[in-house]
Amino acid sequence: MQKKPISTSTFSFEYLITSGALYVDKTQYFHRLVTNVSNCYFCSRPRRFGKSLAISIFENIFLGRRELFKGLYIASTDYDWQVFPVIHIDMARSGSTSAQDLFDSLMRNVKENAEKYDIELSSDTPWLCFDELISQLCRTTGKKVVILIDEYDRPLTENIGDAKTLEEVRKILDSFYQIIKGQEPNERFVFMTGVTKFSKVSIFSKLNNLNDITMSRDYACMFGYTQEELEENFAPYIDEHVRENNLDRTEFIAKIKKWYDGFKFYWKSETVYNPVSVGKFFENECEFQNFWFATATPTFITKLARKQRLTQRDIDEEILSDVSMNIFDVVGFAAGNFSKTSLIQLLFQTGYLTINEKLDFEDYAFSVRLPNYEVQESFNKILFSALSGLEVDTSDSYVQKIKQALYRGNAERLIEVIKNFLAAIPYTIQIPQEKYYQSILFSIVKMCGMDISAEDATNKWRIDAVLNTPKYIYLFELKIDQDAEIALEQIVQKECFQKFIEGAKEKRKEIRCFGINFSSKERNITDWRVG
């Protein structure tokens, strides 16, 4: 019987196995970790990347449930399957609207773990109860304890916009996590997950035996699917869809890759697919949809991008060091001590950006990029809101009108809609710079689902934007407080269109060159030419 491809974001490992769902075997990584000399690990990954499933796998390994792993890599090894007491703390279940809310929910969480082993706790704080639980488990079972903490940073990220609450929450978490260091002799294994590695949190400053494998070459593909894993494990569903819809198999796989692949967690490693997006894609009968924006976009990201007036060029020009990729000052950020670089760090750690390439510097430094089409589409929604000050839903009517004008080659209608759109943006949001208007054009066209590239280089010039539609190739040169005729002449004089002539002839497309001038005073298009 063919296994069911389902999203792994909300199911335990036991459920996946017993329900006959498809599980892509990653247990070689789990075997390596549970048999290493080191026993205390941390790994951050973006939301919806299988962190909770990993915690569930570790839990079942240390509960000795070998029967669940039949046919998987770890079952073929000499692992001894000893049973250990397991403490599983899921911070996603911990309330964090206030310090008291977190305090109470942590107490509940620890006591639930104690009840599983018929242990009564007498302490009156969650951290002392945690300490008491570890000691009693060791004493009553005669074995060391396994500690699994999922989404350690959830209470912090949910309060990143409230400096006072965040500091109160951080102090509680510090007291709680410090117990792990103090109880080190009684611990068989510790594994912690999160979205972001925050500085000034005790697990990183005081837990000196913590092994951070976030950007480790050995574990770069532990979360997510490689190309080989996708094609091997999902082949029946790919073949069925290709056959039923008379598609070219190679082109279909290439489209899946374009939409959902592209994440890189070590600069030399291969890219991986978002596992939840892939699962939902096959669950939804191979319909190409954006699953990322609805499931992996913290609301504060959009607010911060708007506050920082983030543009596409900011992303394209950013360079991050390995240190800035690995850690983030949440306390300073919440207090207002942040910049666009800080925001880009956060975008990297939350999965909106990934490693592009290592740069040839003495120190480790990397350029970054958007991983794939799905994330790019999600990011464009954020960028739209950041640049316009409007809610994402407001863009729908503009998007459809612009899309229609571009498909029909209606230059007058295109400019009219863009001008109406710019007129709706509050003057306090607009930035009188060419890159701002370039980013506006870029983001709204991307939201149309069209192929647009910024700063497209020819042999003589760098065109501000190049847009491909089924019937037209549009070349845009943008100016501010100058003249549209000058902008159009630059495209013509530099013969920028030459690069696209052969492709246009082959696909029977018409090339349209636009020169557009924006006025910093009028905050809108004041002049345009098309040729």
Side-chain angles (χ1 to χ4, degrees), residues 99-157:
Q100 188 62 51
D101 188 21
L102 176 61
F103 185 98
D104 294 341
S105 59
L106 280 176
M107 282 290 284
R108 222 170 22 248
N109 210 326
V110 173
K111 287 184 177 180
E112 286 174 1
N113 276 275
E115 288 170 2
K116 291 188 298 184
Y117 294 95
D118 295 321
I119 290 176
E120 293 188 7
L121 303 174
S122 58
S123 300
D124 58 0
T125 66
W127 47 91
L128 291 180
C129 282
F130 189 28
D131 186 62
E132 187 181 348
L133 175 59
I134 296 170
S135 297
Q136 287 205 47
L137 278 174
C138 287
R139 187 164 54 252
T140 57
T141 65
K143 290 186 176 181
K144 293 186 176 185
V145 175
V146 171
I147 300 173
L148 305 172
I149 298 181
D150 194 13
E151 297 203 47
Y152 91 95
D153 56 341
R154 176 64 73 88
L156 296 169
T157 57

Side-chain angles (χ1 to χ4, degrees), residues 371-387:
N372 54 44
Y373 183 80
E374 180 188 41
V375 176
Q376 184 178 70
E377 189 178 71
S378 301
F379 180 74
N380 287 328
K381 294 177 186 295
I382 290 176
L383 201 60
F384 169 85
S385 183
L387 294 169

Side-chain angles (χ1 to χ4, degrees), residues 209-255:
N209 65 329
L210 183 68
N211 187 358
D212 182 3
I213 61 171
T214 299
M215 296 183 69
S216 165
R217 175 177 55 189
D218 293 338
Y219 301 100
C221 298
M222 179 175 173
F223 298 84
Y225 305 143
T226 64
Q227 188 67 35
E228 181 180 354
E229 287 170 337
L230 177 95
E231 294 191 36
E232 179 181 333
N233 289 273
F234 294 91
Y237 317 106
I238 293 172
D239 292 340
E240 181 180 28
H241 187 76
V242 165
R243 184 175 60 255
E244 290 180 353
N245 294 276
N246 194 29
L247 301 175
D248 181 282
R249 191 178 192 276
T250 301
E251 290 180 359
F252 181 60
I253 291 175
K255 190 173 181 180

